[in-house]
Amino acid sequence: MKNNKAVEIIRSKVDGRHPKVAIILGTGLGPFAENIENKIIFSYKDLPGFPDAGVKGHAGQLIMGQINDIEIVVLQGRAHYYESGKPDIMRIPIETLHGLGCETLLLTNAAGSLLPEAQPGSVMMLTDHINFTGVSPLFGETETSRFVNMADAYNPSLCDKFRDAAKTMNITLHEGVYIWFCGPSFETPAEIQAAKLLGADAVGMSTVPEVILARFYGLNVAAVSIITNMAAGMSDEHLTHAHSIENAAKATNDLQTLLSEFLLQYNK
Ligand code: HPA
């Protein structure tokens, strides 16, 4: 890894903390941070190479702390490709998580559902993805390791842990393939029909570049979406960002419970 200033800054202030698990909180999931104990908070503004987290509902801070006595590091707020046109906008934050010694990255996001049984307010674990944008966060990378193997990118044993956590907590956990559209406009109904034919179960504007970067740095990945809406053309609901945030609140509780239980089981 190159000289990563953010890692140095964080290390100098968090003596003796060695989180193995990192979590990226997506739209509407900010409140999860309230459950974190013994917090040390860094604003993205103070971490060189970190983006502004510009979207409403995203705070823009890195939090070190504990949940269920397990050390974690949380990125509250992410930047999206559509904000800057830069597919590698999350590269430094993810490199930083790796540099801090994390081995696992849990990604959360808000997504539209293509599965009739996965209704708004439910949660879906991602088992694979389709990159429908044609861009990569590794454009320009010259290391041979840029040829990242993406088979089992969504780590099967982490997926099993989430299934167990869902069972224990009596939460319905849908599963499916996530397709990345660049946004910021929502998809057309025709695009969603095409996505269905390709095998997608959920659609969103984030996560995929972060998964590619995380695998590039050797982090194990799992991802869970909160379903905020049915994808375009699949219901009469009019798609707006405000709707996404509103419906996020319903699924947030379940996902918070799921993450806490996952962390309890992580070290077993
Ligand atoms: N499409 C893309 N991104 C999204 C959606 C959607 O329907 N819902 C939440 N994020």
Side-chain angles (χ1 to χ4, degrees):
M1 187 170 38
K2 291 169 293 177
N3 187 19
N4 181 315
K5 287 250 163 52
V7 172
E8 283 172 28
I9 290 169
I10 295 164
R11 278 246 173 89
S12 72
K13 303 218 164 107
V14 296
D15 225 14
R17 296 212 181 174
H18 301 286
K20 293 277 172 250
V21 181
I23 305 175
I24 297 185
L25 298 177
T27 304
L29 280 159
F32 180 77
E34 287 160 24
N35 301 334
I36 304 173
E37 294 172 334
N38 300 318
K39 280 187 261 210
I40 303 175
I41 298 177
F42 300 84
S43 168
Y44 287 0
K45 287 192 192 75
D46 300 326
L47 298 174
F50 275 57
D52 299 331
V55 177
K56 206 175 159 204
H58 290 243
Q61 49 194 17
L62 181 148
I63 304 171
M64 284 264 192
Q66 292 149 355
I67 285 192
N68 290 333
D69 291 329
I70 295 163
E71 297 282 351
I72 54 170
V73 48
V74 167
L75 297 186
Q76 190 182 22
R78 58 154 59 89
H80 302 82
Y81 171 53
Y82 62 76
E83 292 170 67
S84 59
K86 295 176 187 151
D88 63 347
I89 187 79
M90 289 296 285
R91 179 160 179 161
I92 296 291
I94 289 168
E95 183 186 76
T96 301
L97 299 175
H98 169 68
L100 292 171
C102 292
E103 60 189 24
T104 289
L105 176 60
L106 307 180
L107 294 138
T108 66
N109 62 35
S113 172
L114 283 72
L115 280 185
E117 64 269 31
Q119 287 289 316
S122 63
V123 284
M124 188 189 296
M125 178 172 73
L126 308 185
T127 53
D128 206 342
H129 75 223
I130 299 167
N131 179 353
F132 200 66
T133 65
V135 303
S136 168
L138 295 174
F139 283 167
E141 174 57 52
T142 53
E143 293 287 333
T144 309
S145 55
R146 67 188 162 177
F147 300 111
V148 180
N149 185 337
M150 294 298 289
D152 288 341
Y154 298 79
N155 188 281
S157 77
L158 294 178
C159 287
D160 279 343
K161 283 197 192 332
F162 266 112
R163 290 183 188 107
D164 289 348
K167 221 181 214 168
T168 306
M169 302 315 285
N170 210 10
I171 290 168
T172 301
L173 182 62
H174 300 284
E175 295 188 18
V177 173
Y178 177 93
I179 188 164
W180 178 31
F181 276 80
C182 68
S185 53
F186 284 108
E187 302 71 36
T188 63
E191 285 167 342
I192 293 300
Q193 282 303 318
K196 256 194 204 175
L197 287 174
L198 292 177
D201 303 301
V203 57
M205 305 174 194
S206 68
T207 305
V208 166
E210 295 154 33
V211 172
I212 294 169
L213 288 164
R215 293 306 298 139
F216 176 69
Y217 288 112
L219 294 163
N220 295 317
V221 169
V224 184
S225 297
I226 55 175
I227 300 301
T228 53
N229 56 279
M230 297 310 291
M234 293 194 58
S235 83
D236 296 334
E237 193 189 10
H238 186 65
L239 293 185
T240 65
H241 186 65
H243 262 138
S244 290
I245 290 187
E246 206 176 289
N247 284 328
K250 296 182 201 152
T252 298
N253 272 345
D254 277 355
L255 184 47
Q256 288 188 5
T257 307
L258 212 50
L259 285 172
S260 299
E261 181 63 20
F262 175 95
L263 291 173
L264 260 184
Q265 300 193 8
Y266 185 80
N267 288 328
K268 285 185 187 163

